[in-house]
Amino acid sequence: MATNDDSLGQIDISPSTIATIATRSVHQCYGVVGMSSKNLVNGIAHLLTRDAHRGIEVSFEDEAIIIDVYVIVAYGTRILTVAQSIQNTVKFHVEKALGRPVRAVNVYVQGLRVSNGDS
């Protein structure tokens, strides 16, 4: 949990809050068609609980934040460019909102979605 101590007391920011910021940031990125789970078991659990933070894992190392993002990318886009866009966007928004450093944004492309020609 991200903590900040000042003269008035302690401020704790939950991983869920950070995941919400990251989720909204990822959905702004061109080429992202959806979020994915780390594995099948997590995917089933997220379906049953309807977790809004599916595809985001937040951890802390010292005073820095590490965010893992699991996404599905549109077929035909440059995967590397989409992943770099996710990294930059998530890092910017989380650091701007929290004033805390983000050490890493790890992007895991779990699949490609091919759109049918009708849509």
Side-chain angles (χ1 to χ4, degrees), residues 2 11-12 15 27-29 31 43 49-51 64 70 72 83 85 94 96 109 114 119:
I11 300 169
D12 291 324
H27 287 297
Q28 293 177 5
C29 296
T49 61
R50 301 205 186 265
D51 184 8
Y70 299 87
I72 300 170
S85 174
V94 171
K96 181 181 173 189
V109 178
V114 181
S119 40

Side-chain angles (χ1 to χ4, degrees), residues 6-119:
D6 63 12
S7 62
L8 299 176
Q10 182 174 330
I11 300 169
D12 291 324
I13 302 167
S14 73
S16 178
T17 302
I18 298 169
T20 299
I21 297 166
T23 299
R24 290 180 180 260
S25 300
V26 169
H27 287 297
Q28 293 177 5
C29 296
Y30 175 80
V32 175
V33 295
M35 304 296 287
S36 179
S37 294
K38 186 175 182 178
N39 57 39
L40 180 61
V41 173
N42 287 346
I44 293 171
H46 286 298
L47 285 175
L48 295 175
T49 61
R50 301 205 186 265
D51 184 8
H53 305 120
R54 178 177 72 167
I56 303 286
E57 290 185 4
V58 178
S59 59
F60 302 97
E61 189 173 294
D62 300 325
E63 293 295 316
I65 302 165
I66 300 171
I67 303 170
D68 293 336
V69 179
Y70 299 87
V71 294
I72 300 170
V73 174
Y75 179 79
T77 58
R78 286 186 178 252
I79 296 171
L80 180 61
T81 304
V82 173
Q84 289 171 336
S85 174
I86 292 168
Q87 287 176 321
N88 292 329
T89 303
V90 169
K91 180 175 173 37
F92 172 78
H93 286 288
V94 171
E95 286 182 345
K96 181 181 173 189
L98 303 180
R100 314 271 315 175
V102 173
R103 177 167 295 151
V105 177
N106 303 309
V107 178
Y108 300 92
V109 178
Q110 298 290 84
L112 297 173
R113 180 161 303 153
V114 181
S115 64
N116 56 13
D118 297 335
S119 40

